[in-house]
Amino acid sequence: MQQNKVLFFGIIGLAILIVIGLLVSRFFLADTLDLALAEKVSIRIVAAPAISSWARQAAQAFNQRNPNTQVEIIEAEGLVPAAQFRSGGATPPPAAWLAEATFVVAMAPDSGLQFNDPLSVASTGLAWGAFKSKQDEFNQRYGGLSWEGLHAKAVSPENGLRFILASPGNTAEGLAALVSATAAYSKKQEISSSDVSQADQWLTETFGDNAQTPARPADNFATMRVSAGDAGILSTASWRSARLTENPDFLISPAQPNVNLDYPLAIFSGAEPVAQQAALAFRAFLLEESQQAALTNFFLERASAAQPGVKADGVAAQRLLNLAERVLP
């Protein structure tokens, strides 16, 4: 009987100790969990200048909704902002890159950088622009405003060709014009470095001494400067931002072959996993209806509005950039 009592009270005592241990463990674990949940994650995202204003406005809305995940938008310094992803010391690198085009992201490995899972969050296509008198001239003498028409005028005895594009060294918009021209020559929808090599002479004849890359190319036409030239090939967003789509004397037509600026947000492989997850959450936010609808305020189109266009790999894009550095002023 006495032995049974000792066993009974022993079991009761052990149970009490277990309960106390669980309560203490829960107390400390709750504190740890609360600290984890309260910890804020702050990331930086590098954005191309053409889309940075929209991204910055979206980041403000995202930060208000998600107080524990804060996003800062910094503007890209250069076509491939390699230096910005090599920040040393205690400062972590940016978590993602919101680039102008997928073919520019494909150039990043040449700079020793790796980006994953690029996904479009906006779009705009290339378009020709010219005053009606110049458009009529191309229609009458060169079969229309096209790459074939520009090349025909470039090699004609009178020449006198002057056309405008964005700087390929600074913008995917300018590099996209060279991609489109190469596709027109090769008659392909996917171009490689060998296609660029085969088109080299034709591209040099078309662009050399004929193409101009002013700092604000659309504004040249908007102000009707003498330097505006015969025509321009820019993104539709650029023509819209200069209000040239509202000018009845200025004609804008989709470029053929078309090249899409698809504005992919790509995740930097060198960022911490928690930063990568935060960047993915922000990208999902950018694809929400409210943010997609706001793109029109910045002259851009929704990601879903992108039309099929010419594809270029990173090597081809780099070859075209090298050509631009050689033949353009």
Side-chain angles (χ1 to χ4, degrees), residues 43 45 96 117 265 267 275-285:
I43 63 170
I45 292 179
D117 189 28
L265 194 150
I267 310 302
Q276 294 186 29
Q277 289 300 315
L280 288 170
F282 179 62
R283 187 173 72 183
F285 178 78

Side-chain angles (χ1 to χ4, degrees), residues 150-230:
L150 259 67
H151 180 260
K153 185 170 185 180
V155 298
S156 66
E158 66 271 16
N159 194 331
L161 173 64
R162 183 192 293 262
F163 68 99
I164 302 296
L165 66 152
S167 171
N170 298 325
T171 67
E173 180 182 17
L175 197 54
L178 286 158
V179 172
S180 176
T182 305
Y185 175 82
S186 62
K187 294 179 172 51
K188 294 181 179 179
Q189 285 296 106
E190 293 188 20
I191 62 169
S192 64
S193 60
S194 63
D195 295 317
V196 176
S197 297
Q198 292 172 22
D200 185 280
Q201 181 178 345
W202 188 90
L203 292 169
T204 301
E205 292 171 347
T206 305
F207 286 85
D209 299 325
N210 300 312
Q212 303 293 317
T213 57
R216 299 177 65 86
D219 288 349
N220 274 31
F221 291 94
T223 55
M224 291 188 284
R225 297 175 187 169
V226 175
S227 61
D230 296 301

Side-chain angles (χ1 to χ4, degrees), residues 93-176:
W97 177 22
L98 178 47
E100 280 186 272
T102 296
F103 63 78
V104 178
V105 177
M107 296 170 67
D110 282 347
S111 300
L113 302 176
Q114 185 65 47
F115 293 89
N116 302 319
D117 189 28
L119 182 66
S120 172
V121 297
S123 68
T124 189
L126 287 184
W128 293 106
F131 285 102
K132 189 176 184 304
S133 59
K134 295 293 185 179
Q135 181 94 34
D136 290 342
E137 178 185 341
F138 272 95
N139 289 340
Q140 294 166 10
R141 303 185 62 181
Y142 302 105
L145 182 51
S146 63
W147 287 116
E148 291 79 9
L150 259 67
H151 180 260
K153 185 170 185 180
V155 298
S156 66
E158 66 271 16
N159 194 331
L161 173 64
R162 183 192 293 262
F163 68 99
I164 302 296
L165 66 152
S167 171
N170 298 325
T171 67
E173 180 182 17
L175 197 54

Side-chain angles (χ1 to χ4, degrees), residues 2-152:
Q2 184 67 29
Q3 185 177 3
N4 290 339
K5 285 183 179 181
V6 171
L7 180 61
F8 173 75
F9 286 112
I11 292 172
I12 295 297
L14 180 60
I16 292 171
L17 288 174
I18 291 172
V19 170
I20 292 173
L22 289 172
L23 290 173
V24 171
S25 299
R26 183 179 178 184
F27 175 79
F28 285 109
L29 285 173
D31 278 354
T32 303
L33 183 59
D34 288 343
L35 285 173
L37 291 174
E39 183 180 357
K40 290 187 175 181
V41 177
S42 296
I43 63 170
R44 294 175 298 145
I45 292 179
V46 178
I51 200 170
S52 61
S53 296
W54 172 73
R56 193 168 288 114
Q57 184 181 85
Q60 291 173 356
F62 178 85
N63 292 344
Q64 290 176 358
R65 183 197 289 186
N66 304 276
N68 287 345
T69 304
Q70 298 293 287
V71 175
E72 178 189 0
I73 302 298
I74 56 177
E75 196 164 286
E77 299 171 356
L79 182 64
V80 178
Q84 291 173 281
F85 285 91
R86 294 199 184 104
S87 55
T91 304
W97 177 22
L98 178 47
E100 280 186 272
T102 296
F103 63 78
V104 178
V105 177
M107 296 170 67
D110 282 347
S111 300
L113 302 176
Q114 185 65 47
F115 293 89
N116 302 319
D117 189 28
L119 182 66
S120 172
V121 297
S123 68
T124 189
L126 287 184
W128 293 106
F131 285 102
K132 189 176 184 304
S133 59
K134 295 293 185 179
Q135 181 94 34
D136 290 342
E137 178 185 341
F138 272 95
N139 289 340
Q140 294 166 10
R141 303 185 62 181
Y142 302 105
L145 182 51
S146 63
W147 287 116
E148 291 79 9
L150 259 67
H151 180 260

